[in-house]
């Protein structure tokens, strides 16, 4: 008898997990189709039959980032910034700093390296934003990120 109830508990938990995942997948696919139909960026409110979501959409140029982890980190910060600005009307400043350095090797040949740093300062914060989907644009030059938060 105990085994039967344990079995039923496991089945009910796994079916709930599949339902939640399929709901997120459906939302992600819908938003991806919507973006590919008409490109947009910024914050939007999206509703389905049962829930409302705050989404933050942005695109980053892939060639500007040396690693994927750096690109994902910048996308996360920018999504939070957009959402914070929308919800709180927060004051946000962003600076782009380009550093160039010239290095001479032992033969005297100079090599110039360039580093781009974006500094973002924000006075507000939105909790609970999570990456829903990311995908490559049709021209293969930009990565599109869609972050979301369920509105209670």
């Amino acid at each position: 008898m105990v085994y039967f109830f344990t079995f039923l508990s496991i089945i009910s938990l796994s079916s709930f997990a599949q339902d939640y995942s399929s709901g997120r997948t459906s939302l992600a696919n819908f938003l991806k189709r919507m973006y590919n139909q008409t490109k947009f960026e910024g914050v939007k409110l999206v509703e389905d039959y049962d829930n409302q979501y705050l989404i933050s959409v942005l695109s980053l140029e892939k060639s500007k980032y040396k690693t994927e982890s750096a690109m994902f980190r910048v996308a996360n910060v920018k999504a939070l910034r957009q959402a914070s600005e929308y919800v709180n009307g927060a004051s946000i400043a962003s600076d782009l700093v380009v550093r160039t350095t010239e290095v001479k090797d032992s033969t005297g040949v100079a090599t110039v390296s360039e580093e781009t740093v974006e500094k973002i300062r924000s006075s507000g914060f939105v909790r609970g934003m999570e990456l829903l989907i990311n995908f490559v644009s049709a021209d293969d030059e930009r990565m599109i990120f869609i972050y979301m938060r369920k509105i209670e």
Side-chain angles (χ1 to χ4, degrees), residues 21-40 44-49 51-53 55 57 132-133 135 144 146 148:
S21 178
S22 67
R24 284 178 52 99
T25 302
S26 297
L27 178 62
N29 289 335
F30 169 74
L31 292 172
K32 183 178 177 181
R33 283 192 311 273
M34 192 168 108
Y35 180 87
N36 286 329
Q37 197 73 19
T38 306
K39 309 228 180 319
F40 62 93
K44 289 186 177 285
L45 293 175
V46 177
E47 289 185 42
D48 65 8
Y49 296 109
N51 302 303
Q52 279 190 324
Y53 302 96
I55 64 164
V57 181
L132 177 64
I133 188 172
F135 54 94
I144 314 305
I146 301 178
M148 65 158 279

Side-chain angles (χ1 to χ4, degrees), residues 102-112:
E102 185 174 312
V103 179
K104 292 184 181 181
D105 62 9
S106 60
T107 61
V109 176
T111 305
V112 176

Side-chain angles (χ1 to χ4, degrees), residues 108-121:
V109 176
T111 305
V112 176
S113 68
E114 188 174 286
E115 177 186 8
T116 305
V117 178
E118 187 167 4
K119 296 180 181 179
I120 300 171
R121 292 176 302 284

Side-chain angles (χ1 to χ4, degrees), residues 10-26:
I10 290 172
I11 288 176
S12 66
L13 288 175
S14 66
S15 66
F16 175 73
Q18 289 171 350
D19 185 49
Y20 177 73
S21 178
S22 67
R24 284 178 52 99
T25 302
S26 297

